[in-house]
């Protein structure tokens, strides 16, 4: 997988080996996560097996990749960003474990495997999600801290993105919107919080791990916000155009749950146009890096064209 990417500003085309970047970032993240998490045999073994079951179920590792790519764009070493990349994946996995619970989306499959509660039972799945969220903060606290971004700032960043004004606010609005007719602006509110908040936080933390400047942080925020929105629009499109096998989770759930999505409100074609426009806005945000953010550019393009 090599992505032809648009050079910021000049729009010059270069080729970046995204497959190699993703293979290497995923291997690095998996190894680091394995080291950060208690062993599957640590007492009580059930909870550690349940945490590891979902964490190593084969997720695409997009948030860690964005975190590492943002660090690289700002000239920071991968090792400094790694704890934050791992923390993002733990928060994300927790949100999926809880999202799949009977009281939420009630799903049987995730990442191509049975969902956590189907294997370990509801009680353990709730606790595994709780433990993954807590683990994220334990891991983030182990970052080295930077001159512009002390530990307190890093923890605050993560807490805000995962908290009741962002990730959880998005999930609440999503739940409350089921079966109701909601407007495009209400849908944007949900997408900003339930999806964009974590993607945006991933690139911001990557930048912070490189002790980035305020201007770089602003650019990463703009990039993460638009890539996050595009990601959810594409997710909604894939829900109606792909099979469960391809997605590794039950396709067509949004329609079944009478959830408002871009395709259901404005149709497939217009949704695809919006995802492209949001990705363009993300590319524009990277101008400040003058072509030195190839991994971020390639990731944005890849996320627009993904099929799972
Ligand atoms: C707080 C109880 C509680 C739950 C939080 C916020 C939340 C539950 C759930 C949101 C879950 C969700 C479906 C968000 C949308 C974001 C999204 C499209 C996730 C899928 O991300 P991928 O495709 O997944 O990167 P993989 O499995 O590849 O990591």
């Amino acid at each position: 997988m090599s992505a032809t990417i648009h050079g910021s500003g000049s729009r010059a085309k270069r080729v970046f080996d995204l497959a190699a970047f993703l293979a290497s970032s995923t291997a690095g993240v998996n190894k680091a996560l394995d080291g950060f998490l208690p062993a599957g045999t640590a007492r009580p073994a059930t909870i550690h097996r349940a945490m590891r079951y979902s964490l190593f179920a084969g997720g695409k590792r997009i948030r860690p990749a964005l975190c590492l790519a943002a660090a690289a764009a700002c000239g920071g070493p991968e090792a400094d960003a790694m704890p934050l990349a791992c923390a993002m994946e733990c928060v994300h996995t927790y949100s999926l474990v809880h999202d799949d619970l009977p009281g939420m989306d009630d799903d049987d499959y995730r990442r191509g495997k049975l969902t956590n509660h189907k294997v370990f039972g509801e009680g353990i799945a709730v606790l595994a999600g709780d433990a993954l969220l807590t683990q994220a903060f334990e891991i983030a606290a182990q970052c080295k801290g930077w001159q512009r971004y002390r530990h307190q700032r890093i923890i605050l960043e993560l807490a805000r993105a995962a908290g009741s004004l962002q990730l959880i606010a998005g999930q609440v609005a999503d739940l409350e919107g089921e079966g109701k007719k909601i407007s495009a602006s209400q849908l944007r509110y949900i997408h900003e919080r339930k999806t964009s908040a974590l993607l945006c936080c991933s690139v911001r933390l990557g930048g912070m791990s490189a002790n980035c400047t305020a201007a770089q942080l602003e650019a990463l925020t703009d990039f993460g916000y638009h890539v996050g929105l595009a990601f959810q629009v594409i997710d909604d499109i894939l829900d109606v155009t792909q099979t469960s096998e391809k997605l590794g989770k039950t396709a067509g759930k949004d329609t079944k749950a009478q959830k408002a999505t871009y395709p259901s409100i404005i149709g497939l074609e217009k949704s695809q146009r919006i995802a492209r426009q949001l990705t363009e806005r993300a590319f524009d945000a990277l101008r400040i890096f003058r072509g030195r953010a190839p991994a971020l550019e390639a990731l944005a393009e890849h996320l627009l064209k993904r099929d799972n």
Side-chain angles (χ1 to χ4, degrees):
M1 181 200 315
S2 64
T4 304
I5 53 179
H6 307 277
S8 313
S10 68
R11 315 304 273 170
K13 290 203 168 177
R14 284 168 290 108
V15 172
F16 177 80
D17 191 349
L18 184 65
F21 174 83
L22 282 175
S24 153
S25 64
T26 299
V29 166
N30 288 346
K31 186 162 178 264
L33 279 171
D34 188 37
F36 280 126
L37 254 77
T41 50
R43 282 177 70 190
T46 320
I47 190 69
H48 298 123
R49 281 200 297 116
M51 289 163 77
R52 283 174 169 271
Y53 174 81
S54 290
L55 201 53
F56 295 106
K60 297 186 287 296
R61 304 293 195 233
I62 295 303
R63 291 145 195 86
L66 284 167
C67 182
L68 299 178
C74 300
E78 184 179 287
D80 284 2
M82 194 54 89
L84 304 179
C86 290
M88 289 313 307
E89 188 63 20
C90 287
V91 175
H92 166 59
T93 305
Y94 127 79
S95 79
L96 299 182
V97 170
H98 279 193
D99 187 54
D100 292 334
L101 286 166
M104 300 263 174
D105 265 9
D106 194 9
D107 245 305
D108 291 353
Y109 291 95
R110 170 73 69 179
R111 295 177 164 174
K113 296 172 77 173
L114 281 172
T115 43
N116 201 290
H117 64 272
K118 283 279 160 192
V119 177
F120 296 94
E122 270 179 59
I124 292 293
V126 169
L127 292 169
D130 292 343
L132 283 167
L133 178 62
T134 312
Q135 184 75 57
F137 286 91
E138 184 177 330
I139 296 173
Q142 291 172 57
C143 72
K144 73 173 211 188
W146 297 271
Q147 198 230 326
R148 294 193 181 98
Y149 310 101
R150 305 288 185 200
H151 285 92
Q152 184 200 17
R153 175 84 192 273
I154 299 292
I155 299 297
L156 188 62
E157 183 76 23
L158 194 56
R160 283 197 173 140
S164 62
L165 292 173
Q166 293 294 323
L167 178 65
I168 291 178
Q171 183 74 349
V172 171
D174 200 31
L175 278 176
E176 291 180 347
E178 275 180 27
K180 294 195 188 118
K181 196 171 155 39
I182 67 168
S183 67
S185 81
Q186 285 170 310
L187 189 57
R188 173 67 71 106
Y189 172 97
I190 293 173
H191 288 189
E192 280 171 352
R193 284 156 186 81
K194 94 168 181 182
T195 310
S196 194
L198 285 195
L199 274 83
C200 192
C201 182
S202 302
V203 288
R204 279 173 60 88
L205 286 178
M208 289 179 180
S209 77
N211 200 35
C212 68
T213 64
Q216 287 174 328
L217 189 61
E218 196 182 318
L220 290 173
T221 307
D222 194 14
F223 172 82
Y225 173 77
H226 287 101
V227 157
L229 289 179
F231 187 87
Q232 186 58 56
V233 177
I234 295 292
D235 205 72
D236 288 354
I237 292 172
L238 295 177
D239 186 68
V240 286
T241 57
Q242 293 292 343
T243 62
S244 301
E245 287 68 35
K246 186 81 194 166
L247 297 178
K249 60 184 179 182
T250 318
K253 282 280 294 195
D254 295 339
T255 317
K256 209 167 158 214
Q258 293 184 290
K259 270 195 187 174
T261 63
Y262 270 95
S264 71
I265 292 184
I266 59 169
L268 264 181
E269 215 172 290
K270 219 166 157 198
S271 301
Q272 265 142 358
R273 201 157 64 234
I274 285 181
R276 267 196 306 276
Q277 284 165 355
L278 289 165
T279 305
E280 279 298 322
R281 294 283 302 273
F283 282 133
D284 289 346
L286 296 178
R287 278 211 187 100
I288 184 178
F289 294 104
R290 298 172 184 275
R292 284 190 303 273
L296 285 179
E297 292 183 12
L299 275 167
E301 183 153 314
H302 168 67
L303 295 179
L304 175 70
K305 293 181 177 163
R306 74 198 170 100
D307 61 5
N308 74 344

